[in-house]
Amino acid sequence: MGKTIISYILLFVVLVAAQAVVFNHICLFGMAVPLVFIFFILRLPVGIGINTLLTLSFLLGLTVDIFSDTPGMNALDCTILAALRNPILRLYMPREDDLANTIPSMKTLSPSVFLKYVVTATTLYCILYFILESFTFFALRQLVLRIVASTLLTFIFIVCIDSLTSLKSEKRL
């Protein structure tokens, strides 16, 4: 139990530091911004309590907001993503008993289920983030391009990070 908590604290710190130092400075073609810190929310165990999940997600977003100078945007978006995380996962895995103590990853879920889960969650997060950032629908084409490009870039980074962090000892469903 203690080893798991330490690994999640380490994941939290590494993802926030990477987002603040590296990923906030990447903007491909003026459109795509990788938002890889949401991997922490996606990686939390499915059986975690909703209050704990919402609190951890809010703290993650608030921490990224502090380092990114985005007043409350990530805190709100992370909290909404956390609230919708389990329903998104249930879209692709309807059997509740299979999800009891699962840590979502490519190895524990089937690759197709995990990839659909990550794409859906990343798309939702990018939609929320960029609508709050622009706070207008006047440049709708640019908004849609930023959402699509950032979703693709974030998805690629999250899949790469998952393949690096998944343990061989994780049980597959």
Side-chain angles (χ1 to χ4, degrees):
M1 181 72 173
K3 193 175 187 182
T4 306
I5 292 172
I6 291 173
S7 68
Y8 279 111
I9 291 171
L10 184 63
L11 181 65
F12 183 97
V13 170
V14 167
L15 286 174
V16 168
Q19 185 70 40
V21 174
V22 177
F23 295 116
N24 280 347
H25 301 288
I26 296 174
C27 187
L28 293 180
F29 308 112
M31 294 284 170
V33 178
L35 303 164
V36 298
F37 64 94
I38 65 171
F39 178 69
F40 178 78
I41 299 169
L42 301 177
R43 183 73 176 181
L44 287 171
V46 176
I48 192 170
I50 189 68
N51 291 336
T52 307
L53 178 64
L54 290 174
T55 303
L56 289 173
S57 299
F58 176 77
L59 289 175
L60 174 70
L62 186 63
T63 307
V64 171
D65 282 335
I66 289 169
F67 290 114
S68 301
D69 197 30
T70 52
M73 286 175 32
N74 289 307
L76 175 65
D77 297 342
C78 284
T79 306
I80 292 171
L81 179 63
L84 296 175
R85 184 186 77 129
N86 287 346
I88 290 170
L89 193 54
R90 279 192 215 108
L91 281 174
Y92 305 113
M93 292 208 49
R95 294 172 292 187
E96 188 68 35
D97 53 285
D98 286 344
L99 299 175
N101 288 319
T102 304
I103 297 172
S105 73
M106 188 90 68
K107 293 188 182 191
T108 57
L109 305 173
S110 68
S112 65
V113 170
F114 181 72
L115 295 178
K116 287 188 251 182
Y117 165 62
V118 171
V119 165
T120 306
T122 304
T123 304
L124 174 70
Y125 189 86
C126 288
I127 288 170
L128 292 169
Y129 182 81
F130 288 111
I131 285 176
L132 277 178
E133 182 185 58
S134 67
F135 212 66
T136 183
F137 291 110
F138 288 118
L140 189 60
R141 182 173 177 241
Q142 183 180 8
L143 178 66
V144 170
L145 283 173
R146 290 187 78 189
I147 289 170
V148 170
S150 295
T151 298
L152 286 172
L153 190 59
T154 303
F155 172 75
I156 291 168
F157 276 116
I158 285 177
V159 169
C160 291
I161 291 170
D162 180 67
S163 65
L164 293 174
T165 59
S166 293
L167 302 174
K168 292 181 181 179
S169 62
E170 290 178 345
K171 292 181 181 177
R172 188 174 180 129
L173 290 176

